[in-house]
Amino acid sequence: MNPYTQYFTASNDKKLDQQRAAGNLTLFPKAHTLRQAKFEHSKKKQLHEDAFLELAELEKKEEPAGKYIRKLCKIPLGVVLFKSSVVDILVDMMRTDAFVGLYVDGTGGTVQQLHPLSSSVFYHSAVIKTACGPLSVSDFLTNSQDVESLTFWLQNFARALADRTERIFTKVETDYCLPLIQAVCLAINKVEVEVYLRESFWLETGKLTKSDVKPRSVIHICSAHLSHAVSGKLKSLSDNAAVRNFCLLAFTRMQETESLNELDVVFTEICTVLLSKGDNDDLKTCYHILGRRFEKLDTDSNDAGIGARTFPEHQQQQHEFKSILRNKFYFRFQSIVEKLAVEVGGGTLVTNDFYLPKFVDYLVGSYMGIAPLWTAFNKIHPERKRDTNDIIESWYGIVKHRILPNHKNQGIGRFVESLSEIIQTECNEYTTLVDCTTRKRRLVPMNRPAKWKKRGPNRQTTIFDSNSSSAQT
């Protein structure tokens, strides 16, 4: 029993004794009685005991103008959600704004487990940034996070958007989840990740120009998520705090590289420091160069929007998506590592405190093959090289504080209904703000002299005599 329940029970017992002393023999309800009453009250609101049938009933009750549930799949569970009013807002923004970014991510702990399926339900969302804050343009509830399920969701939303406009998103920000990245590429860019990376390599090496490639949305992985993942891996590789800080700063510096040639130079300098067993002139030179590079880091990037979380090492993803990670970028940086291992990695005595070849292997195996997805090769903002998913994290905060009481999971039917109400409220707020800012109002300066209409000559009134047919003036 938690302290709140103990206090509630103790105060009820005290009130019960006072009521009995006053002659009132009616029993006062205790905590478990109130919880049972709340459970029975919420159960009466359910349209059906089966979660899928409850969603089907909700879909029938919706009006065509405010329809929110678009697609329903039972095995695996898939619920595609978006409103036409939100699509209208997005289309207007894409017509007026030069930069419209889409932020895609997923989270758990929002919907109760489905008992027939005995599996957790994950909540995915695609969010845009508006003048009123984050706004979800499409949501997805599923118990499977594979490429097929996520592509099914994003393709349904992209098809509805394509019916309204031919414009595309300038950028799509995602988490380091390879199934999600593959689904975004297939639904938004209409190509696989391998093709997207191959085109990026030819563009960086000069074999293709931008006019030779079809315009596509830039896909970028959240910088804060990657920094947390690398930081967690470094804790298992080294106990030296100085080495961990150096490696994390080196990775951050690579995130800000704007071309493949610049990334080659920075990566070579980092590998020279981490692969050298002994102190030499090359090691000291590279260390001082990196020190000057670290001073130019963009420390004002918004990395504080992501809370501290534990990230998996994506070993299963790397095994399933080996073809994505093993490409021309991978072999290019692998050749740099092999060349430096021969030049500076000789000898048996290790006197370099920053000797950490395992981190180099980790970088090459996990990140260097998808370098265009987390570097600034295709940066949109000239002043901001690293971007994060803080917008969608803010949206998840809104959802969990407004919908989930006491941060407890809800039934899937009630969750969808509450989510629809919140999105409609956000749409009304945005529409009201746009109407107020675009309304034409006539403003009169306070210091402007008033212009009164000049009064003309006195008008003569004509008087008619009732006894005569002539008029007198």
Side-chain angles (χ1 to χ4, degrees):
M1 185 181 296
N2 57 42
Y4 299 102
T5 306
Q6 293 178 0
Y7 174 79
F8 182 78
T9 306
S11 61
N12 285 345
D13 293 339
K14 185 177 180 180
K15 292 179 181 179
L16 183 61
D17 296 338
Q18 294 175 356
Q19 291 177 1
R20 286 178 175 174
N24 186 5
L25 300 181
T26 304
L27 294 179
F28 191 84
K30 293 189 177 182
H32 67 278
T33 306
L34 295 178
R35 284 196 296 269
Q36 182 66 24
K38 181 181 177 182
F39 170 75
E40 294 178 357
H41 177 70
S42 60
K43 193 174 181 179
K44 289 181 180 179
K45 293 184 177 180
Q46 291 183 354
L47 300 178
H48 201 279
E49 293 183 357
D50 185 81
F52 187 82
L53 295 178
E54 184 180 11
L55 290 173
E57 292 293 332
L58 282 176
E59 186 180 12
K60 293 179 181 179
K61 287 177 58 179
E62 290 181 334
E63 299 180 358
K67 189 173 183 180
Y68 185 50
I69 302 176
R70 300 292 175 168
K71 295 289 183 179
L72 280 177
C73 296
K74 190 170 185 179
I75 300 176
L77 177 68
V79 187
V80 180
L81 309 167
F82 61 87
K83 285 180 173 289
S84 299
S85 57
V86 182
V87 178
D88 295 339
I89 292 175
L90 178 58
V91 170
D92 292 338
M93 290 180 60
M94 297 179 79
R95 289 174 180 172
T96 56
D97 297 346
F99 173 81
V100 178
L102 186 68
Y103 300 83
V104 186
D105 201 356
T107 185
T110 56
V111 182
Q112 293 178 356
Q113 290 187 357
L114 302 181
H115 296 291
L117 301 178
S118 300
S119 59
S120 301
V121 179
F122 300 95
Y123 168 50
H124 291 78
S125 185
V127 178
I128 59 174
K129 185 177 182 180
T130 66
C132 299
L135 176 62
S136 176
V137 294
S138 181
D139 302 283
F140 185 55
L141 297 174
T142 183
N143 60 346
S144 177
Q145 299 192 85
D146 53 5
V147 178
E148 291 77 11
S149 299
L150 297 174
T151 306
F152 170 75
W153 160 48
L154 291 173
Q155 279 184 345
N156 278 276
F157 169 69
R159 192 178 299 112
L161 183 62
D163 294 338
R164 300 291 308 278
T165 180
E166 296 181 355
R167 297 179 180 270
I168 62 175
F169 292 102
T170 311
K171 184 198 68 171
V172 181
E173 193 80 16
T174 68
D175 188 12
Y176 184 31
C177 176
L178 293 179
L180 181 59
I181 296 172
Q182 181 72 283
V184 168
C185 266
L186 290 173
I188 305 298
N189 287 336
K190 306 295 189 299
V191 295
E192 296 183 347
V193 183
E194 294 89 338
V195 178
Y196 179 82
L197 293 173
R198 192 183 308 123
E199 290 180 354
S200 300
F201 184 81
W202 296 133
L203 287 172
E204 290 297 326
T205 54
K207 295 184 178 180
L208 287 178
T209 60
K210 290 187 177 181
S211 60
D212 300 330
V213 181
K214 183 180 178 180
R216 306 190 192 279
S217 301
V218 175
I219 300 177
H220 187 264
I221 300 176
C222 174
S223 300
H225 285 85
L226 289 181
S227 298
H228 280 288
V230 172
S231 177
K233 182 64 177 180
L234 285 170
K235 290 181 181 179
S236 63
L237 295 179
S238 176
D239 297 331
N240 192 337
V243 176
R244 295 199 302 267
N245 292 335
F246 171 80
C247 294
L248 187 58
L249 285 173
F251 182 77
T252 305
R253 179 63 186 88
M254 287 194 296
Q255 286 180 312
E256 295 192 352
T257 54
E258 301 180 11
S259 64
L260 181 59
N261 294 330
E262 183 182 0
L263 181 60
D264 287 342
V265 174
V266 176
F267 182 73
T268 303
E269 294 170 353
I270 294 171
C271 291
T272 302
V273 175
L274 297 178
L275 296 178
S276 299
K277 293 183 178 180
D279 295 334
N280 50 46
D281 295 338
D282 293 338
L283 172 63
K284 295 178 181 179
T285 303
C286 292
Y287 187 76
H288 290 303
I289 293 176
L290 288 172
R292 291 195 297 269
R293 292 186 188 274
F294 294 161
E295 294 176 357
K296 300 179 181 180
L297 284 177
D298 182 12
T299 56
D300 295 332
S301 294
N302 190 6
D303 292 350
I306 309 298
R309 307 191 311 188
T310 303
F311 292 88
E313 295 303 325
H314 310 285
Q315 294 180 356
Q316 184 178 2
Q317 295 184 24
Q318 294 176 10
H319 178 71
E320 296 177 355
F321 297 90
K322 188 175 181 180
S323 60
I324 298 177
L325 299 173
R326 301 296 185 269
N327 51 31
K328 294 183 179 298
F329 286 101
Y330 169 80
F331 292 111
R332 182 187 181 96
F333 292 105
Q334 181 66 27
S335 62
I336 294 176
V337 173
E338 293 174 355
K339 181 180 178 181
L340 290 175
V342 176
E343 294 179 356
V344 300
T348 56
L349 181 62
V350 178
T351 59
N352 179 19
D353 294 335
F354 291 88
Y355 179 71
L356 193 62
K358 292 183 179 180
F359 181 68
V360 176
D361 297 336
Y362 170 70
L363 286 180
V364 175
S366 301
Y367 299 106
M368 304 312 295
I370 53 173
L373 302 181
W374 52 270
T375 56
F377 287 0
N378 302 311
K379 68 173 183 176
I380 307 299
H381 295 293
E383 300 149 356
R384 189 171 183 179
K385 300 178 181 179
R386 287 179 289 150
D387 205 352
T388 64
N389 246 350
D390 54 346
I391 302 298
I392 197 169
E393 295 293 337
S394 301
W395 173 254
Y396 286 152
I398 293 174
V399 170
K400 292 182 179 180
H401 283 88
R402 290 191 188 180
I403 294 182
L404 306 177
N406 301 325
H407 303 284
K408 294 182 180 179
N409 300 347
Q410 278 194 353
I412 188 170
R414 178 58 183 164
F415 180 80
V416 170
E417 196 173 2
S418 302
L419 191 61
S420 176
E421 295 174 358
I422 286 182
I423 292 177
Q424 188 60 46
T425 302
E426 296 292 333
C427 288
N428 296 339
E429 182 180 354
Y430 175 81
T431 305
T432 303
L433 177 63
V434 171
D435 292 342
C436 292
T437 54
T438 59
R439 186 184 303 159
K440 294 182 179 180
R441 294 180 295 176
R442 186 177 181 182
L443 301 178
V444 180
M446 298 296 294
N447 57 354
R448 192 181 71 176
K451 294 182 180 180
W452 301 99
K453 187 176 181 181
K454 293 183 179 181
R455 202 175 279 181
N458 295 333
R459 297 179 180 179
Q460 296 180 355
T461 305
T462 303
I463 303 175
F464 291 91
D465 190 357
S466 59
N467 299 326
S468 62
S469 59
S470 62
Q472 299 178 359
T473 301

